[in-house]
Amino acid sequence: MAKKDERVVDTRLGRMVLPEDRVLLFPRGLIGFMEHREFTLIQVREDSPFLVLQSLNDPSLGLLVADPYTFMTEYEVVIGEADRKLLGIDTREQASLLVTVTIPQGMPERTTLNLSGPIVVNNQARIGLQIPQTDSRYPAHYTPGMALLKKS
């Protein structure tokens, strides 16, 4: 039974009791999932760099995500003034950065990161936004270890 400040949610990883302070609000939803506004982050395994960004409204919607800096060192996300205001941050350092990950079944060597649509989360305010990037150096299907195009 969930306490007053908790909720029971069904996820792709099973039923969980989730403290309210683990709920992330995405005021604009995510690209392709605009109607989904409440999510949480679930650690896949303790020794894994991957998390599931789980919709709290749809147990079947869980996106595999990771901190891109686990796989690469050069990645500059541009956050516009309106997005910074909505997130409640002054600098990029005040937020966590995640990218969606695709791992083809049975082919982990073909894992890709979506660098063109990073997810920025203000952990303190528990607000998240997906902020599309226009820099051609950051593809939607980046293979870790692949060289990035040089900044022009």
Side-chain angles (χ1 to χ4, degrees):
M1 183 81 180
K3 297 175 189 164
K4 186 176 131 186
D5 58 347
E6 296 177 328
R7 55 169 106 171
V8 176
V9 293
D10 291 315
T11 73
R12 292 183 67 150
L13 302 175
R15 181 164 280 191
M16 299 177 64
V17 176
L18 184 69
E20 283 294 331
D21 67 359
R22 295 260 322 270
V23 175
L24 301 173
L25 176 65
F26 283 76
R28 297 191 305 225
L30 296 170
I31 296 170
F33 306 102
M34 300 306 200
E35 68 280 2
H36 297 273
R37 304 294 170 106
E38 291 186 319
F39 289 83
T40 192
L41 286 167
I42 303 168
Q43 184 75 44
V44 173
R45 284 193 328 254
E46 198 171 309
D47 62 341
S48 173
F50 303 112
L51 302 139
V52 173
L53 183 61
Q54 176 66 54
S55 167
L56 298 183
N57 306 106
D58 182 352
S60 67
L61 177 58
L63 303 172
L64 192 62
V65 296
D67 178 335
Y69 300 110
T70 302
F71 303 94
M72 59 193 304
T73 55
E74 293 181 41
Y75 184 44
E76 299 171 35
V77 173
V78 176
I79 305 172
E81 184 62 32
D83 289 337
R84 278 199 301 270
K85 280 185 177 181
L86 188 54
L87 284 165
I89 62 172
D90 295 315
T91 66
R92 215 304 282 142
E93 290 71 28
Q94 293 175 292
S96 296
L97 187 63
L98 300 167
V99 293
T100 55
V101 179
T102 302
I103 304 175
Q105 189 170 352
M107 296 183 285
E109 69 280 1
R110 298 194 56 197
T111 295
T112 61
L113 310 177
N114 178 355
L115 301 182
S116 67
I119 297 167
V120 181
V121 177
N122 176 335
N123 294 314
Q124 187 173 356
R126 299 187 318 260
I127 297 172
L129 294 177
Q130 187 170 25
I131 303 175
Q133 301 294 293
T134 57
D135 191 328
S136 62
R137 291 180 299 156
Y138 304 129
H141 300 286
Y142 169 78
T143 302
M146 182 173 85
L148 291 170
L149 296 173
K150 296 289 181 205
K151 192 171 187 174
S152 41

